[in-house]
Amino acid sequence: MTSSSKSNMKRMNTKDMEEYAEMDMDELLAQLSSDEINMLAREVDPDDNTMPPSLRCGYFCDKEPTGPLDRHKLIDHINKQAIETPDKPEAQPYVAGTVRGKKWVPPVCEKTAELEEQINIDLGDEYETALSGASQEEIIDLAAILGFHSMMNQDQYHASLLNKGQPIGMGWDGITKASQPKAFPNEPPNLTNPEETIKRVKEDDHTLKEVNWNNIKNISDEKFVQLFEALASNTHLEILSLTNTGLADRHTNLLADSLEKNSTLRVLNLETNFISPAGMVTLLKSLLTTKSVEEFRGSNQRSQVLGNKIEMQITEIVEQNISLLRLGLHLEYNDARHRVAAHLQRNLDRIRLTRVGAASS
């Protein structure tokens, strides 16, 4: 078929399609018989999601139904046929190690010559003379001083900072190997005897300046009560640490009463316990009576987030305290954090000015 005949046929098909496009579809369907409509329906899939799949399917079975549909029996029949039907034999059996067809060979990548860029920097005669006679270790030390971290590996950098000399084999081409981590011994257990400590606090021992019950397990409520009652009348204790001792809200009221009566305690550490935000507010309020505590630590409690209302209460209480210098609490809101930091700084400045004035007089 020549190109001219193909073009003529294409024009005729386009003309015929244009004629059919102008016709009315309802008139065309009215001229068809029922058998022709059924044949047309089998060939055309109506694009209508509202129609059931049985009406959209082009397959029609002419056989009469032999009974109601049983889905389980149908699945069992299909599985039985799949098992009993033998597999089609391969045209060529598989032979291990036999290569059939064209074997893929990766293309050969030609290594391009790496061009080394040389940068000439004029440092002056003085620096040129100094660097030309410097050894490799001296140049590495100079790079560490100037902060050229990319010019050296980790061992070289840390050795230069610590002035230990360069490790053996750690030149410019050296490779930093992973160092074996140092094994640190576990922290020794707290061997403080709570009963003996309570006795010394109750007797107001003038040599007892610090009580450390940190990480002591299974301290009974009775011992806490005895310690806090003895703390109210003690006049020599300065540091009280009760970190990770299971302190809870049932102990805060008695501790707050003791803090209101004690006037020598300077540091109070209650971190890592089970004190609620309301209990923390009660303890901070008790510090306003004697105003002797300079450092209060109470982070990592049962509730990690204090909340806006509690933080505002803590801020107002801290702003009334003229002796508090350090506060160990996590404040989430910027307003409370900035106000507390500014007030603590004012307390530090006041103490510094008082100390300077006393020294000058």
Side-chain angles (χ1 to χ4, degrees), residues 44-79:
V44 179
D45 183 12
D47 189 9
D48 189 358
N49 295 330
T50 60
M51 294 181 62
S54 59
L55 298 180
R56 296 185 60 180
C57 181
Y59 173 77
F60 291 94
C61 183
D62 297 333
K63 296 181 180 179
E64 295 294 332
T66 58
L69 175 64
D70 191 340
R71 182 173 178 273
H72 296 287
K73 289 184 178 180
L74 178 61
I75 293 175
D76 294 339
H77 175 70
I78 295 174
N79 293 334

Side-chain angles (χ1 to χ4, degrees), residues 238-285:
E238 297 181 359
I239 302 175
L240 177 60
S241 298
L242 301 175
T243 300
N244 192 22
T245 55
L247 205 64
D249 286 347
R250 62 182 182 274
H251 309 118
T252 54
N253 292 331
L254 183 57
L255 178 58
D257 295 339
S258 301
L259 294 175
E260 292 178 355
K261 299 175 183 178
N262 186 283
S263 58
T264 59
L265 194 65
R266 296 187 301 104
V267 179
L268 179 61
N269 189 352
L270 305 176
E271 293 180 343
T272 316
N273 282 300
F274 301 96
I275 304 175
S276 65
M280 198 63 61
V281 172
T282 303
L283 293 174
L284 288 173
K285 281 184 178 179

